[in-house]
Amino acid sequence: MSFSKWIGGALGWSFGGPIGAIIGVALGSFVDSLSNGKGSPFLEEGEPQQRRRATYGTQSGQRPQTQSGDFELSLLILASIVIKADGVQDQRELDFVRQQFVSMYGKERANHAFRLFKNISSQSNISTRQVCLQIKQMMDHPSRLQLMHFLFGIAKADGTVTEDEERQIYTMAGYLGISSRDYESIKAMFYNSSDNAYKILEIDKSATVDEIKKAYRKMAKKYHPDKVIHLGKEHQVGAEEKFRQVQMAYEHLQKERKF
């Protein structure tokens, strides 16, 4: 698969708005189809241009279903912002991004994605707010939670989440419409503290056993891998990890409270 065919297949609603502009700049000089007269690389063969453009900025109030490609491109941009948050692009973080993409997409697709990622990372004028607001408008809530989980994974790849990285992810969460409880729940999956299990289940330490059981059922439903099944099987691993963390938190409290 050529790079132009990969990017053409990846773009859905992300073709428009600030994300589309960032991707356009990142493509720069290495879009082969622009140089050989085959037309726009953003369209799959035989696909009318209108279908790719029509999804962004819809007035219907109905979010288009986020596909794997839209999630992938959103992830590339947000990951590039987080990695630069502390002023240093740590090789371990870059390796984590590549490793995750290889595990999700396979080597060839991951190579294409990482190639684009490096060009996105070189841009200095990306508006975090504009990108996140586009994602909030177009992407469903479970997919946005999955983005947050991946971003914390990147920040933790070098062994610790710096204050700058955490501040950047927190800012993104606000723009993405992620509640403070959801943010703290996902954040707790990457820290070790005595109250992590409570935070993951989004409850206080004073919660009763019945409240803990109720919270577990609620969080198991919220983080169930089927919530992001529309993103494709490549994103099930990350979703399953969140689900596993909820189960571990509940089991920890069962032992602690002896119920």
Side-chain angles (χ1 to χ4, degrees), residues 101-121:
F101 271 77
V102 169
S103 67
M104 288 189 295
Y105 304 124
K107 188 173 182 179
E108 182 181 19
R109 183 174 168 184
N111 285 340
H112 289 326
F114 202 73
R115 184 181 179 189
L116 186 62
F117 173 78
K118 289 191 290 186
N119 281 37
I120 292 172
S121 298

Side-chain angles (χ1 to χ4, degrees), residues 28-251:
S29 62
F30 60 65
V31 177
D32 54 272
S33 62
L34 288 182
S35 63
N36 60 22
K38 290 183 180 179
S40 173
F42 302 108
L43 305 177
E44 297 181 58
E45 291 183 13
E47 182 178 20
Q49 187 170 359
Q50 289 80 359
R51 189 174 80 82
R52 283 291 183 184
R53 291 180 180 272
T55 52
Y56 180 71
T58 177
Q59 298 301 311
S60 65
Q62 183 74 26
R63 285 191 180 95
Q65 190 174 64
T66 299
Q67 301 300 318
S68 179
D70 297 308
F71 184 88
E72 186 175 350
L73 295 178
S74 299
L75 186 57
L76 287 175
I77 294 173
L78 296 185
S80 73
I81 296 172
V82 170
I83 283 180
K84 293 188 292 185
D86 56 3
V88 179
Q89 286 196 18
D90 191 284
Q91 187 60 45
R92 286 169 292 185
E93 294 172 330
L94 294 173
D95 289 343
F96 179 86
V97 174
R98 181 185 286 278
Q99 176 187 341
Q100 289 299 302
F101 271 77
V102 169
S103 67
M104 288 189 295
Y105 304 124
K107 188 173 182 179
E108 182 181 19
R109 183 174 168 184
N111 285 340
H112 289 326
F114 202 73
R115 184 181 179 189
L116 186 62
F117 173 78
K118 289 191 290 186
N119 281 37
I120 292 172
S121 298
S122 67
Q123 297 182 41
S124 59
N125 59 343
I126 293 177
S127 170
T128 303
R129 178 178 180 276
Q130 290 181 1
V131 168
C132 289
L133 290 181
Q134 180 179 352
I135 294 171
K136 177 185 176 183
Q137 178 185 353
M138 307 300 286
M139 188 180 290
D140 58 279
H141 185 249
S143 298
R144 282 179 276 144
L145 292 177
Q146 190 62 32
L147 279 177
M148 295 301 298
H149 186 268
F150 189 92
L151 294 175
F152 266 111
I154 292 172
K156 189 69 179 292
D158 59 357
T160 183
V161 181
T162 68
E163 290 184 7
D164 289 331
E165 289 170 333
E166 184 179 338
R167 189 179 304 113
Q168 186 64 261
I169 297 174
Y170 179 79
T171 298
M172 288 177 174
Y175 291 145
L176 289 170
I178 303 298
S179 70
S180 58
R181 279 187 175 271
D182 282 340
Y183 171 81
E184 292 296 336
S185 173
I186 293 176
K187 174 185 171 182
M189 297 178 184
F190 296 89
Y191 289 81
N192 293 318
S193 69
S194 59
D195 60 349
N196 268 9
Y198 292 95
K199 289 182 178 179
I200 290 173
L201 296 179
E202 298 185 359
I203 52 177
D204 297 325
K205 279 191 170 184
S206 59
T208 64
V209 169
D210 284 342
E211 289 172 334
I212 293 173
K213 291 179 178 179
K214 182 179 179 180
Y216 168 68
R217 291 192 294 269
K218 176 184 175 183
M219 297 305 295
K221 182 177 180 181
K222 181 189 291 187
Y223 288 152
H224 196 281
D226 284 352
K227 289 287 187 178
V228 294
I229 197 170
H230 56 282
L231 295 179
K233 63 181 181 180
E234 57 265 38
H235 295 291
Q236 292 302 295
V237 174
E240 288 167 0
E241 176 59 25
K242 294 203 311 298
F243 188 69
R244 192 159 43 246
Q245 290 277 356
V246 168
Q247 292 177 311
M248 290 171 59
Y250 182 65
E251 290 169 2

Side-chain angles (χ1 to χ4, degrees), residues 209 252-259:
V209 169
H252 174 81
L253 294 182
Q254 280 183 310
K255 292 178 181 178
E256 184 179 279
R257 295 287 196 94
K258 296 180 171 56
F259 66 89

